[in-house]
Structures are given as C-alpha cells and as structure tokens.
Amino acid sequence: MNFELDAVFIEDSERETALARRIAAAVQDRAPIENVADGRVPARAIAGADSFSAGKRRMVVMRRRTPFVMSCPAGSARFACCGYLVMVLASNCPMDCSYCFLQEFVADNPGFQIYSNFADAFEELERIAHRAPDRHFRIGTGELADSLAFDTMTGLSRELIAYFAEREKLTLELKTKTDEIGNLLDSDPRGRVLVSWTLSPEKVWRTSEHRTAPPAARIDAARRVLEAGYRVAFHFDPVIAYVDAEREYAELLDHLFEVIAPEKIAFFSIGGLRMTPGLRAAARRRWPRDPMLLDEHVLADDGRLRTFTPLRLKLYRIIADRFERAGVKVPGYLCMEAASVHERVFGAAPASPATIGERLARERERF
Ligand code: SF4
C-alpha cells in the first residue's frame, strides 16, 4: 500500500545500516530525508492541531535503546491471556483506525519509529529459547505497529522469515490490516511463520479503519499466503456492537469460510471494543462523526469502557458458533477478557497462558 510520508529522519549513527539504506533509496523521490543526531527528538509530539496524525507521516529510522522482546503489554492477571510475546520493531502505524489504542499509548512520541538495530532482537530470542529449551513461543511484531505496513520499503519481513524459518521452537506472527504480502510470497517460511489478519465487517472498515485494506482484500491476501506455505489466523478485535452487527459479523465469517477452509485456519481470537476514558476522549476528538465510537459504554473494573457484557457476549458467541459449526476444531481465545467470560463463550475454563501460548505456537496443533 502506498502510504504518505512528509519527512524521513535517519539517526547519524544508523545511516550505513542496511535498513536505513533501503529506506533512503525507497523514499528519495517521495519525501525529504534529514539526518539527525538523536531520533528521539523528531519522534516527539509537536504542538499542533493533531500531532498524532502528523507523527504517522514522520518516519524516524533510529536505534532502539530498550529491549525488543517482552510479554504482551495487554496481559494482566485479571485476564485469561494467550501467552503472547511481543517484539517491538516499530512504533505507530501509517493507517488510522478510530479506536486504535496508539492514540493514547504513543501520544507523546507519535513519530513512526523503525528500529535499525532490529537484529539485536534475535539475541534476546536466543536467550529466551535457551532458558526454556522445551517450550515453544509465539512472537508477534504487530502490537505497537502493523507488521507489514511499509514492508515493501523496509524488507523487514524477509529478514524475520529467514531467521524464524530456522528456529523450530519460535513461531513468528505477522499481524496486519494490509494486503502488503509481496515479500512474503518470495520467501520460504518452512511452516514457522503465521500471518494473521484483523477482520471487521465492511461497515466498520468504511467508518473506522482508515487507509487499511478492505476486509475482502485481507481475506484474499490470507488465501495467497496460505498457498505459499504460511499458517494463517484471524483476529476479530475489536468486536463492535452496532445496529446490524449480529448479521454482519455472521456474514463476515461466511465469506471467510468461502475463501479459506476452516481447517486451514491455525486459530482465531476475539476481543471487544475497550477504551480507557483517555483513549475514548482522544478518539472522539479525532473522529467526532465516527458512529462506532458513539455508543454508551460501561466502565469495567479494569478501568476500561466496554460494551455492556450481555451484548458483547452475544456477539462473541456468534463468532465462536460459526467456528464450532464449521465441523473442525479451530482453536480460539479471547483477548483482555476474564476466565469467566471465556467459559461463557467457549463452554470451558481457559488453559493457563503458558499452555495456550505453547499450543498456538506449535504447527498444526489442535486443542
Ligand atoms: S492498523 Fe492497527 S496499529 Fe494501525 S491504526 Fe489500525 S489498529 Fe492501530
């Protein structure tokens, strides 16, 4: 996809890295390039009408000064978590979903940061694998950024796939709302790379997922990477309760299964719309006419505003039911929900986060 950039900043010490060179070559006719001593400076918010939007168009190629790999920041003892590890290779995103938590999470540092020393993450992964030689881990890059936005320019996926293809117990998950899969189709994942798409009904895409690929294009991209040897998974997150939601989520699932046989899907996840009061205020300020943000929400005991529980569970059940009725057991989990909610949706208590993480990471494992 062709995202707009106003400027690219490259840290002086990183100018000769392969990543900086690739980006400089790719953007030379699209945006001015400036060298800076410290990338953290242009990454900061600039006073103005919408510094978050401006940050999305200001790419900063810089060293990451803190660890790359961590437990999922959404994890909590309150929730039945999925044991996901996050590898932060970039921060912020050129797309602009009205509900995106980054509007609050990176408000002070909204520049689109890409970390040129990303290969240091591989050493962290080696240490994790060494400490727990019997375990499998699922590691995703799509938490503070979309995994594939700008991949045509950065070529990062090629280097990640080459690394993970050689690691039996480490599974990479590339999570995206794009159809930017060109580099994936040229690589051999050896069954150790998952590509997952977040899916919403067409109406949510039109009102709220700005500059993302349409849902049908995401599903078609999934079909193509599946044929190229990748595992595929889908996230229905955030599920939003709007007037036609019940019918339209069911239709989305029907379309998905027409294109991709359910038994080919590695797993799915479901999560509800959830916003801290600060995020909801920021989102409504930026998107005052977005109908998906205007419903009444209940302040839950985790401090987030959520859809009224019976309504949200009804939508979760519609999605889970569609998978159950498909006739094969596709693993599913809930994101940022309590074990009691998991039980009401799936009819059984969730396994421990480590067990779920292990199962999702393993090739073709069913549970
Ligand atoms: S694609 Fe993901 S990271 Fe990008 S704006 Fe949308 S929700 Fe945020």
Side-chain angles (χ1 to χ4, degrees), residues 16-35:
E16 298 307 320
T17 59
L19 181 66
R21 283 170 173 267
R22 283 202 296 270
I23 291 175
V27 300
Q28 56 182 342
D29 299 326
R30 290 174 56 182
I33 301 174
E34 190 178 321
N35 295 314

Side-chain angles (χ1 to χ4, degrees), residues 79-186:
F79 305 135
C81 290
C82 65
Y84 189 46
L85 290 180
V86 168
M87 182 162 64
V88 181
L89 305 184
S91 175
N92 212 341
C93 171
M95 295 171 278
D96 208 353
C97 302
S98 64
Y99 50 72
C100 179
F101 84 110
L102 295 177
Q103 294 172 103
E104 182 182 43
F105 199 76
V106 302
D108 294 333
N109 295 285
F112 185 93
Q113 301 166 49
I114 301 188
Y115 303 118
S116 42
N117 57 331
F118 68 90
D120 293 352
F122 300 155
E123 290 169 24
E124 293 176 34
L125 291 171
E126 296 299 329
R127 285 198 291 275
I128 290 168
H130 184 73
R131 279 201 301 268
D134 297 331
R135 289 190 54 192
H136 291 73
F137 295 96
R138 177 172 65 114
I139 301 111
T141 61
E143 196 65 19
L144 300 190
D146 183 281
S147 297
L148 295 178
F150 281 124
D151 194 61
T152 309
M153 180 191 291
T154 67
L156 265 180
S157 67
R158 287 178 190 268
E159 303 199 36
L160 295 175
I161 293 164
Y163 172 81
F164 281 90
E166 302 297 325
R167 303 291 177 297
E168 202 181 320
K169 295 189 172 174
L170 300 177
T171 297
L172 172 66
E173 178 174 348
L174 298 167
K175 191 192 289 187
T176 189
K177 282 191 187 131
T178 73
D179 54 3
E180 199 163 332
I181 55 170
N183 286 332
L184 274 55
L185 299 180
D186 293 339

